Coordinates of all heavy atoms in Angstrom, one line a residue:
A1 N 170.3 74.5 74.9 CA 169.0 75.1 74.4 C 168.2 74.0 73.6 O 167.0 73.9 73.7 CB 169.2 76.2 73.4
G2 N 168.9 73.1 73.0 CA 168.3 72.0 72.2 C 167.6 71.0 73.2 O 166.6 70.4 72.7
V3 N 168.0 70.9 74.4 CA 167.4 70.0 75.4 C 166.6 70.7 76.4 O 166.3 70.2 77.5 CB 168.4 69.0 76.0 CG1 169.0 68.1 75.0 CG2 169.6 69.8 76.7
Q4 N 166.4 72.0 76.2 CA 165.6 72.9 77.1 C 166.2 73.0 78.5 O 165.5 72.9 79.5 CB 164.2 72.4 77.1 CG 163.5 72.5 75.8 CD 162.0 72.0 75.8 OE1 161.6 71.5 76.8 NE2 161.3 72.2 74.7
L5 N 167.5 73.1 78.6 CA 168.1 73.3 79.9 C 168.8 74.6 80.1 O 169.4 74.9 81.1 CB 169.2 72.2 80.1 CG 168.7 70.8 80.4 CD1 169.9 69.8 80.5 CD2 167.9 70.7 81.7
V6 N 168.5 75.6 79.1 CA 169.0 76.9 79.3 C 168.0 77.6 80.3 O 166.8 77.3 80.3 CB 169.0 77.7 78.0 CG1 169.3 79.2 78.2 CG2 170.1 77.1 77.1
D7 N 168.5 78.5 81.2 CA 167.7 79.1 82.2 C 167.1 78.1 83.2 O 166.0 78.1 83.6 CB 166.6 80.0 81.6 CG 166.0 81.0 82.6 OD1 166.7 81.3 83.6 OD2 164.9 81.4 82.5
S8 N 168.0 77.2 83.6 CA 167.6 76.1 84.5 C 168.7 75.8 85.4 O 169.9 75.7 85.0 CB 167.2 74.8 83.7 OG 167.1 73.7 84.5
L9 N 168.4 75.5 86.7 CA 169.4 75.2 87.6 C 170.1 73.8 87.3 O 171.2 73.6 87.5 CB 168.9 75.1 89.0 CG 168.4 76.5 89.6 CD1 167.8 76.3 91.0 CD2 169.5 77.5 89.6
N10 N 169.2 72.9 86.7 CA 169.8 71.6 86.3 C 170.7 71.8 85.1 O 171.7 71.0 85.0 CB 168.6 70.7 85.9 CG 167.8 70.3 87.1 OD1 168.3 70.1 88.2 ND2 166.5 70.1 87.0
G11 N 170.5 72.8 84.3 CA 171.4 73.1 83.2 C 172.7 73.5 83.7 O 173.8 73.1 83.2
L12 N 172.7 74.3 84.8 CA 174.0 74.7 85.4 C 174.7 73.5 86.0 O 176.0 73.3 85.9 CB 173.7 75.7 86.6 CG 173.5 77.1 86.2 CD1 173.3 78.0 87.5 CD2 174.5 77.7 85.3
V13 N 174.0 72.5 86.6 CA 174.6 71.3 87.1 C 175.3 70.5 86.0 O 176.4 70.0 86.2 CB 173.5 70.5 87.8 CG1 174.1 69.1 88.1 CG2 173.0 71.2 89.1
V14 N 174.6 70.4 84.9 CA 175.2 69.7 83.7 C 176.5 70.4 83.3 O 177.5 69.8 83.0 CB 174.2 69.7 82.5 CG1 174.9 69.1 81.3 CG2 173.0 68.8 82.9
M15 N 176.5 71.8 83.2 CA 177.7 72.5 82.9 C 178.8 72.2 83.8 O 180.0 72.0 83.4 CB 177.4 74.0 82.8 CG 176.5 74.4 81.6 SD 177.4 74.1 80.0 CE 178.8 75.1 80.3
Y16 N 178.5 72.3 85.1 CA 179.6 72.2 86.1 C 180.1 70.7 86.2 O 181.2 70.5 86.6 CB 179.1 72.6 87.5 CG 179.0 74.1 87.6 CD1 177.8 74.7 88.0 CD2 180.0 74.9 87.3 CE1 177.7 76.1 88.2 CE2 179.9 76.3 87.4 CZ 178.7 76.9 87.8 OH 178.6 78.2 87.9
A17 N 179.2 69.8 85.8 CA 179.6 68.4 85.8 C 180.8 68.2 84.8 O 181.6 67.2 85.0 CB 178.5 67.5 85.4
C18 N 181.0 69.1 83.9 CA 182.2 69.0 83.0 C 183.5 69.2 83.8 O 184.5 68.8 83.3 CB 182.1 70.0 81.9 SG 180.7 69.9 80.8
G19 N 183.4 69.7 85.0 CA 184.6 69.8 85.8 C 185.1 68.5 86.3 O 186.1 68.4 87.0
S20 N 184.4 67.4 86.0 CA 184.9 66.1 86.3 C 186.2 65.8 85.7 O 187.0 65.0 86.3 CB 183.9 65.0 85.8 OG 182.6 65.3 86.3
I21 N 186.6 66.5 84.6 CA 187.9 66.3 84.0 C 189.0 66.7 85.0 O 190.0 66.0 85.2 CB 188.0 67.1 82.7 CG1 186.9 66.6 81.7 CG2 189.4 66.9 82.1 CD1 186.9 67.4 80.5
F22 N 188.9 67.8 85.7 CA 189.8 68.3 86.6 C 189.9 67.3 87.8 O 191.0 66.9 88.3 CB 189.5 69.7 87.2 CG 190.3 70.2 88.3 CD1 191.6 70.6 88.0 CD2 189.9 70.1 89.6 CE1 192.4 71.1 89.0 CE2 190.7 70.6 90.6 CZ 192.0 71.1 90.3
C23 N 188.7 66.8 88.2 CA 188.7 65.8 89.3 C 189.4 64.5 88.9 O 190.2 63.9 89.7 CB 187.2 65.4 89.7 SG 186.3 66.8 90.2
Y24 N 189.2 64.1 87.6 CA 189.9 62.9 87.1 C 191.4 63.0 87.2 O 192.0 62.0 87.7 CB 189.4 62.7 85.7 CG 190.4 61.8 84.9 CD1 190.3 60.4 85.0 CD2 191.3 62.4 84.0 CE1 191.2 59.6 84.3 CE2 192.2 61.5 83.3 CZ 192.1 60.2 83.4 OH 193.0 59.4 82.7
F25 N 192.0 64.1 86.8 CA 193.4 64.2 86.8 C 194.0 64.1 88.3 O 195.1 63.5 88.5 CB 193.9 65.4 86.1 CG 193.9 65.3 84.6 CD1 192.9 65.9 83.9 CD2 194.8 64.6 84.0 CE1 192.8 65.7 82.5 CE2 194.8 64.4 82.6 CZ 193.8 65.0 81.9
L26 N 193.4 64.8 89.2 CA 193.9 64.7 90.6 C 193.7 63.4 91.2 O 194.5 62.8 91.9 CB 193.2 65.8 91.4 CG 193.6 67.2 91.2 CD1 192.9 68.2 92.2 CD2 195.1 67.4 91.3
I27 N 192.5 62.8 90.9 CA 192.2 61.5 91.5 C 193.1 60.4 91.0 O 193.6 59.5 91.7 CB 190.7 61.1 91.3 CG1 189.8 62.1 92.1 CG2 190.4 59.7 91.8 CD1 188.3 62.0 91.8
I28 N 193.3 60.3 89.7 CA 194.1 59.3 89.1 C 195.5 59.4 89.5 O 196.2 58.3 89.7 CB 194.0 59.2 87.5 CG1 194.5 57.9 87.0 CG2 194.8 60.4 86.9 CD1 194.2 57.7 85.5
G29 N 196.0 60.6 89.7 CA 197.4 60.7 90.3 C 197.5 60.1 91.7 O 198.5 59.5 92.0
Y30 N 196.4 60.3 92.5 CA 196.4 59.7 93.8 C 196.3 58.2 93.8 O 196.9 57.5 94.5 CB 195.3 60.3 94.6 CG 195.2 60.0 96.1 CD1 195.9 60.7 97.0 CD2 194.5 58.8 96.5 CE1 195.9 60.4 98.4 CE2 194.5 58.5 97.8 CZ 195.2 59.3 98.8 OH 195.1 58.9 100.1
M31 N 195.4 57.7 92.9 CA 195.1 56.3 92.8 C 196.4 55.5 92.3 O 196.5 54.3 92.7 CB 193.9 56.0 91.8 CG 192.6 56.5 92.4 SD 191.2 56.1 91.3 CE 191.2 54.3 91.6
R32 N 197.2 56.2 91.5 CA 198.4 55.5 91.0 C 199.4 55.2 92.2 O 200.3 54.3 92.0 CB 199.1 56.3 90.0 CG 198.4 56.3 88.6 CD 199.3 56.8 87.5 NE 198.7 56.7 86.2 CZ 198.2 57.7 85.5 NH1 198.4 58.9 86.0 NH2 197.7 57.5 84.3
S33 N 199.2 55.8 93.3 CA 200.1 55.6 94.5 C 199.6 54.4 95.3 O 200.2 54.0 96.2 CB 200.2 56.8 95.3 OG 198.9 57.1 95.9
L34 N 198.4 53.9 95.0 CA 197.8 52.8 95.7 C 198.3 51.5 95.2 O 198.6 51.3 94.0 CB 196.3 52.8 95.7 CG 195.6 54.1 96.2 CD1 194.1 54.0 95.9 CD2 195.9 54.3 97.7
P35 N 198.4 50.5 96.0 CA 198.9 49.1 95.6 C 197.8 48.5 94.7 O 196.7 48.3 95.2 CB 199.1 48.3 96.9 CG 198.3 49.1 97.9 CD 198.3 50.5 97.5
V36 N 198.1 48.1 93.5 CA 197.2 47.5 92.6 C 196.8 46.1 93.0 O 195.7 45.6 92.7 CB 197.8 47.4 91.1 CG1 196.8 46.9 90.1 CG2 198.3 48.8 90.7
E37 N 197.6 45.5 93.9 CA 197.3 44.2 94.4 C 195.9 44.1 95.1 O 195.3 43.1 95.2 CB 198.4 43.7 95.3 CG 199.7 43.4 94.6 CD 200.5 44.7 94.3 OE1 200.1 45.8 94.8 OE2 201.5 44.6 93.6
L38 N 195.6 45.3 95.8 CA 194.3 45.3 96.5 C 193.1 45.1 95.5 O 192.2 44.4 95.8 CB 194.1 46.7 97.2 CG 195.1 47.0 98.3 CD1 194.9 48.4 98.8 CD2 194.8 46.0 99.5
F39 N 193.2 45.8 94.4 CA 192.1 45.6 93.4 C 192.1 44.2 92.8 O 191.1 43.6 92.6 CB 192.3 46.6 92.2 CG 192.3 48.0 92.7 CD1 193.2 49.0 92.1 CD2 191.6 48.5 93.8 CE1 193.3 50.3 92.6 CE2 191.6 49.8 94.2 CZ 192.5 50.7 93.6
E40 N 193.3 43.7 92.5 CA 193.4 42.3 92.0 C 192.9 41.3 92.9 O 192.3 40.3 92.5 CB 194.9 42.0 91.5 CG 195.3 42.9 90.4 CD 196.8 42.7 90.1 OE1 197.5 42.0 90.9 OE2 197.3 43.2 89.0
A41 N 193.2 41.5 94.2 CA 192.7 40.5 95.2 C 191.2 40.5 95.3 O 190.6 39.4 95.5 CB 193.3 40.9 96.6
A42 N 190.6 41.7 95.2 CA 189.1 41.7 95.2 C 188.6 41.0 94.0 O 187.5 40.4 94.1 CB 188.7 43.2 95.3
K43 N 189.2 41.2 92.9 CA 188.7 40.5 91.7 C 188.8 39.0 91.8 O 187.9 38.2 91.4 CB 189.5 40.9 90.4 CG 189.2 42.3 90.0 CD 190.1 42.6 88.7 CE 189.8 44.1 88.2 NZ 190.6 44.4 87.0
I44 N 189.9 38.5 92.4 CA 190.1 37.1 92.6 C 189.0 36.5 93.5 O 188.5 35.4 93.4 CB 191.5 36.8 93.2 CG1 192.6 37.1 92.2 CG2 191.6 35.3 93.6 CD1 194.0 37.0 92.7
D45 N 188.6 37.3 94.5 CA 187.5 36.9 95.4 C 186.2 36.9 94.8 O 185.2 36.6 95.4 CB 187.5 37.8 96.7 CG 188.7 37.6 97.5 OD1 189.4 36.5 97.4 OD2 189.1 38.5 98.3
G46 N 186.1 37.4 93.5 CA 184.8 37.3 92.8 C 184.1 38.6 92.7 O 183.0 38.7 92.2
A47 N 184.7 39.7 93.1 CA 184.0 41.0 93.1 C 184.1 41.5 91.6 O 185.1 41.4 90.9 CB 184.7 42.0 94.0
G48 N 183.0 42.1 91.2 CA 182.9 42.8 89.9 C 183.6 44.1 89.9 O 184.0 44.6 91.0

């Protein structure tokens, strides 16, 4: 209400974006199974 997003579809989007936490837990569990060497090799090649 303070940012005038009540009764707004964009306000609903902001609310549902909080579901990113659930996404984070599933994604990080999957990412831990990946070889970290791939990321380190990309960094060595100069990638940000």
